Amino acid sequence: MAGAPVDVKLFGKWSFEDIEVSDIALEDYIAVKPKFAVYVPHTAGRYQKRRFRKALCPIVERLTNSIMMHGRNNGKKLMAVRVVEHAFDIIHLLTDQNPIQIVVDAIINSGPREDATRIGSAGVVRRQAVDISPLRRVNQVCSAGRQQMATAVTAAADSSSNSSDPNCSSYGFPGRRQL
């Protein structure tokens, strides 16, 4: 007795169906396909048990988990879920687009593409430019999103909607060009 497939919507409002990841390098690391769809970003999944399993965690839950850090917010996941829901409501009101797509575009635009590492021995050290792996790009954006989003819901909405625009001055965007 198989029923009709149910359209899973985040917070009962936003569908995962038409979400596109335009950067092919990040497709496997931003979990927004319909198979990763959740009603609420609180799956209680164990995404740290094996290497690279965090890539299977829904991206909205990773955002929620990053808000839930630092002192007074430790362990308060329901508060973080509420903050993300309010931020998504504000993003939807400001842009009239699916907030999940806005967050995905913000991750793609804000993630740094290269970094500098120290190379040398015997006291002579120089900086060398290196490429960043796609998973590290997503990780850095999620952790930088905490700095901007944990303070207020409006900051979250402003940061996400600005970062999805390629010509913006958001917190996470300058890191993309940083060497």
Side-chain angles (χ1 to χ4, degrees), residues 32-45:
V32 291
K33 295 177 184 156
K35 84 175 200 179
F36 299 112
V38 291
Y39 292 104
V40 178
H42 195 317
T43 62

Side-chain angles (χ1 to χ4, degrees), residues 41-68:
H42 195 317
T43 62
R46 300 185 322 189
Y47 296 109
Q48 297 294 326
K49 293 298 275 185
R50 291 182 60 199
R51 190 175 183 195
F52 297 117
R53 186 168 291 170
K54 72 169 84 171
L56 302 178
C57 181
I59 196 65
V60 180
E61 184 169 3
R62 291 193 65 192
L63 181 68
T64 304
N65 292 342
S66 70
I67 290 174
M68 195 179 61

Side-chain angles (χ1 to χ4, degrees), residues 109-116 127 129-130 132 140 144 171-179:
N109 290 334
S110 298
R113 294 190 179 127
E114 62 181 23
D115 200 1
R127 312 266 301 165
V130 293
I132 294 182
Q140 284 187 345
Y171 172 79
F173 201 70
R176 177 181 177 202
R177 293 189 203 101
Q178 189 176 16
L179 180 67

Side-chain angles (χ1 to χ4, degrees), residues 1 24 35 60 97 101 138:
M1 236 167 58
I24 61 170
K35 84 175 200 179
V60 180
Q97 295 179 10
Q101 182 66 52
V138 175

Side-chain angles (χ1 to χ4, degrees), residues 63 86-107 109-110 141 145 148-149 153-173:
L63 181 68
H86 290 317
F88 278 19
D89 285 332
I90 291 172
I91 290 170
H92 180 68
L93 290 174
L94 291 176
T95 63
D96 289 330
Q97 295 179 10
N98 190 340
I100 303 169
Q101 182 66 52
I102 299 290
V103 167
V104 168
D105 292 343
I107 290 170
N109 290 334
S110 298
V141 171
Q148 189 72 4
M149 290 189 217
V153 175
T154 55
D158 189 43
S159 174
S160 294
S161 60
N162 279 344
S163 291
S164 67
D165 178 24
N167 305 318
C168 78
S169 61
S170 174
Y171 172 79
F173 201 70

Side-chain angles (χ1 to χ4, degrees), residues 19-37:
I19 305 300
E20 292 184 12
V21 180
S22 59
D23 190 349
I24 61 170
L26 298 179
E27 276 182 352
D28 296 334
Y29 299 101
I30 298 178
V32 291
K33 295 177 184 156
K35 84 175 200 179
F36 299 112

Side-chain angles (χ1 to χ4, degrees), residues 117-127:
T117 187
R118 295 168 48 115
I119 298 202
S121 60
V124 179
V125 176
R126 64 184 177 92
R127 312 266 301 165

